[in-house]
Amino acid sequence: MKPTSFVESVNCAIEGILYTARTQKHMRHHFLAALVVLVAALLLRVTLLEFMLLALAISFVLFAELLNTAIEVVVDMISPEFNPMAKLAKDVAAGAVLVAAFGTAIMGYLVLSKYIFPVEKRLLAMVGTGSELGILVSVILVLIAVIILKGVTGSGTPLKGGVPSGHSAVAFSIATSVTLQTQDPLIALLCLILALMVSHSRLLLKIHTVRELVYGALTGISITVAVNLLFNAFA
């Protein structure tokens, strides 16, 4: 029934938000990301205008996800059986969420990068720059470590499956080496995105689990940083 008062209208709206958060994992991810970004903005002491822009961008993503969920519910109600047009409607609604999320990511980068990048530069300087020999040694040691760990755990093969993910380990090792070599926060971010894409592809192919990918990433990063510190200590 249609709400008869403002309070009932607000309650209905809250119920819609709770339903979306309860049934849609992407909505929970958006809420978690919003929490992280807003807390970071407060800790970094962004300006009032910057905080307003972040809040507006986050609200836009949440709005898009709510609208997407509403469209999905209506489509499922009208067309419970598979229908190409119903699928198209859902895909377009999901595309709206993707566009909103992409725009918000750009906004977050533009606002927060000038606060985070100087801190990252200092952290990278503490580890030191990489070397060509160190990069090669790191990759070789990562591959050896992956083979040994897979042999110990008795899972997968050197090139497929098992703990840890070899693709993830090598991807994050190379990303770490490039980051240390360039000492550039933007390049570090782009390398991280590429490493995540490589790891995500293994997940989509159902070759690895999230746990195996995380172990691979930690293996690649830790060995590469350790080798870099060792080379710098004896340089």
Side-chain angles (χ1 to χ4, degrees):
M1 296 179 62
K2 185 177 180 180
T4 57
S5 66
F6 174 75
V7 174
E8 289 184 1
S9 298
V10 172
N11 286 334
C12 289
I14 294 175
E15 287 180 6
I17 295 173
L18 293 177
Y19 170 82
T20 305
R22 186 173 59 253
T23 60
Q24 306 296 319
K25 66 177 182 179
H26 291 116
M27 188 62 165
R28 296 193 292 272
H29 294 163
H30 291 322
F31 272 123
L32 180 60
L35 178 63
V36 172
V37 169
L38 292 178
V39 170
L42 291 174
L43 294 176
L44 294 172
R45 302 184 181 224
V46 302
T47 65
L48 180 60
L49 177 59
E50 290 171 338
F51 189 86
M52 291 171 58
L53 290 173
L54 287 175
L56 182 61
I58 290 172
S59 299
F60 184 53
V61 173
L62 298 179
F63 166 78
E65 186 63 52
L66 287 168
L67 190 61
N68 175 50
T69 302
I71 292 174
E72 287 184 351
V73 171
V74 172
V75 170
D76 289 340
M77 179 180 63
I78 296 175
S79 178
E81 302 296 331
F82 175 78
N83 187 307
M85 297 305 293
K87 178 182 180 301
L88 182 60
K90 289 185 176 183
D91 290 345
V92 172
V97 179
L98 181 61
V99 171
F102 186 73
T104 300
I106 294 176
M107 177 71 72
Y109 168 80
L110 293 175
V111 171
L112 298 178
S113 60
K114 68 177 182 180
Y115 297 97
I116 296 177
F117 280 3
V119 178
E120 185 179 351
K121 282 186 176 180
R122 289 196 293 269
L123 292 175
L124 292 175
M126 291 173 61
V127 179
T129 58
S131 63
E132 292 183 4
L133 181 58
I135 294 173
L136 293 176
V137 171
S138 297
V139 174
I140 294 173
L141 289 180
V142 167
L143 290 173
I144 293 174
V146 168
I147 294 174
I148 292 175
L149 290 172
K150 287 188 177 184
V152 171
T153 58
S155 60
T157 66
L159 295 177
K160 185 175 181 180
V163 182
S165 166
H167 287 75
S168 178
V170 172
F172 276 91
S173 174
I174 295 174
T176 304
S177 294
V178 174
T179 297
L180 296 175
Q181 182 74 19
T182 60
Q183 297 282 311
D184 187 295
L186 179 57
I187 293 178
L189 178 61
L190 296 176
C191 288
L192 175 62
I193 292 174
L194 285 176
L196 288 172
M197 291 174 65
V198 171
S199 300
H200 189 244
S201 68
R202 308 299 285 177
L203 186 64
L204 291 178
L205 292 173
K206 297 183 179 180
I207 298 175
H208 287 287
T209 64
V210 174
R211 180 175 66 92
E212 292 168 350
L213 294 174
V214 171
Y215 285 159
L218 293 177
T219 300
I221 294 172
S222 59
I223 291 178
T224 304
V225 171
V227 169
N228 187 78
L229 291 173
L230 189 61
F231 267 73
N232 287 333
F234 290 95

